[in-house]
Amino acid sequence: MSAIYKKSMLSIGKFVPEKFQPLWNHPAGPQTIFFWAPAFKWGLVIAGLGDLQRPANQLSVRQSGALAATGVIWTRYSLAITPKNWSLFSVNLFVAITSIYQVTRALKMTMISKAAMGIAVGIAGIFVGYCFYFDQKRRSDPEFKKKLRERRKSKKQAQKDSSRIPHLNDHEGVQRFFLQEVQLGEEKLAYGDIEGGVVHLANAVAICGQPVQLLQVLQKTLPPHVFHLLLQRLPAVGQKVASQIAMAEEDVE
């Protein structure tokens, strides 16, 4: 099912106008779940707007309170991740606003006094403010940034090691590497990582025994601008392959 979806997105991408390609290929764009999940969540906003006409005594404080809490949390989260997901931010902001309004309407209809309601709202505000303060303090901590950089560095190193080209005499290793690079290239393109996808596909072309035939297939399946980037990347990857092969031969000697 995943392969069908990826191929469908690649096929549709060929018809997307050039000026909309950055949006189409964005890491949180229409080709990813990070776009469609917030899009479907707008149903909660529409339902909340419809409930504005419902009598306050029929509202559920627990349900509206839960929606308000999740709306606030996800609103903050959408701006803390990389890249920022503005679609996720906007839908959860509306969910939080409508739910908070519904909670205040419901509380006004209960026997809770204005003082008690004010205290409850104040406590909730303090809690939310503390969460934002704690998150900001955590992210501004030099140790946090240092650990984050180390984690990213380790991840990049792991990716680099996984892309190390095997010795050409190791036919099984070469075949595994080829299939791995093709799969990684398709996955990254499907998620909007054009540069990463091109790098992996270029590795596959460089190590392939029949590069011309593979390029012909890729020309038919890839969007024109992606295929053009692939052709631009091939010389550098070819040099990289040659240098790694030379180093491997020196190690053997």
Side-chain angles (χ1 to χ4, degrees):
M1 194 66 182
S2 176
I4 296 175
Y5 176 78
K6 293 174 184 177
K7 291 181 179 179
S8 300
M9 290 296 101
L10 289 175
S11 300
I12 296 173
K14 297 178 181 179
F15 302 99
V16 176
E18 190 69 26
K19 62 180 180 180
F20 293 120
Q21 284 293 336
L23 174 62
W24 177 257
N25 294 315
H26 191 272
Q31 299 186 66
T32 68
I33 189 63
F34 310 115
F35 174 85
W36 293 109
F40 284 111
K41 197 171 183 178
W42 279 103
L44 292 176
V45 177
I46 296 173
L49 293 175
D51 284 344
L52 294 178
Q53 304 300 323
R54 178 180 294 186
N57 59 356
Q58 296 181 8
L59 297 174
S60 171
V61 176
R62 292 183 178 180
Q63 177 179 315
S64 298
L67 286 173
T70 57
V72 171
I73 292 171
W74 284 102
T75 297
R76 175 67 186 110
Y77 172 78
S78 62
L79 299 182
I81 58 178
T82 303
K84 293 180 174 63
N85 192 332
W86 293 104
S87 176
L88 185 65
F89 169 81
S90 59
V91 68
N92 281 287
L93 180 63
F94 274 94
V95 169
I97 291 173
T98 55
S99 299
I100 291 172
Y101 177 70
Q102 296 291 60
V103 169
T104 57
R105 287 183 62 215
L107 291 178
K108 287 181 180 179
M109 291 297 297
T110 63
M111 300 301 294
I112 300 177
S113 64
K114 291 184 178 180
M117 186 172 68
I119 293 173
V121 172
I123 293 174
I126 292 173
F127 174 74
V128 172
Y130 172 76
C131 290
F132 276 87
Y133 166 76
F134 177 78
D135 180 66
Q136 185 64 29
K137 184 178 180 181
R138 176 181 64 89
R139 293 174 62 83
S140 60
D141 185 3
E143 287 297 320
F144 171 77
K145 293 183 177 181
K146 181 180 178 181
K147 292 179 181 178
L148 185 62
R149 284 194 295 267
E150 291 177 352
R151 192 181 305 121
R152 290 175 178 173
K153 184 177 180 181
S154 300
K155 185 178 180 180
K156 288 182 179 179
Q157 184 62 39
Q159 292 177 346
K160 184 178 179 181
D161 292 340
S162 65
S163 296
R164 189 174 297 278
I165 298 173
H167 197 280
L168 294 181
N169 292 334
D170 182 7
H171 299 294
E172 292 184 0
V174 170
Q175 185 177 10
R176 284 196 303 269
F177 178 80
F178 171 77
L179 295 175
Q180 167 194 294
E181 292 302 291
V182 171
Q183 181 179 359
L184 289 174
E186 291 179 347
E187 290 179 355
K188 287 186 176 294
L189 289 177
Y191 283 103
D193 185 1
I194 303 299
E195 183 178 353
V198 167
V199 169
H200 287 290
L201 290 179
N203 287 338
V205 173
I207 203 71
C208 180
Q210 297 177 327
V212 177
Q213 289 84 343
L214 179 58
L215 284 174
Q216 290 175 348
V217 173
L218 292 175
Q219 186 176 13
K220 295 178 181 179
T221 57
L222 295 177
H225 72 286
V226 176
F227 184 73
H228 181 67
L229 291 175
L230 175 61
L231 294 179
Q232 290 180 332
R233 184 79 184 183
L234 282 177
V237 174
Q239 293 179 358
K240 175 184 174 183
V241 172
S243 63
Q244 288 193 17
I245 292 174
M247 291 175 61
E249 291 177 350
E250 290 178 0
D251 292 339
V252 172
E253 293 176 357

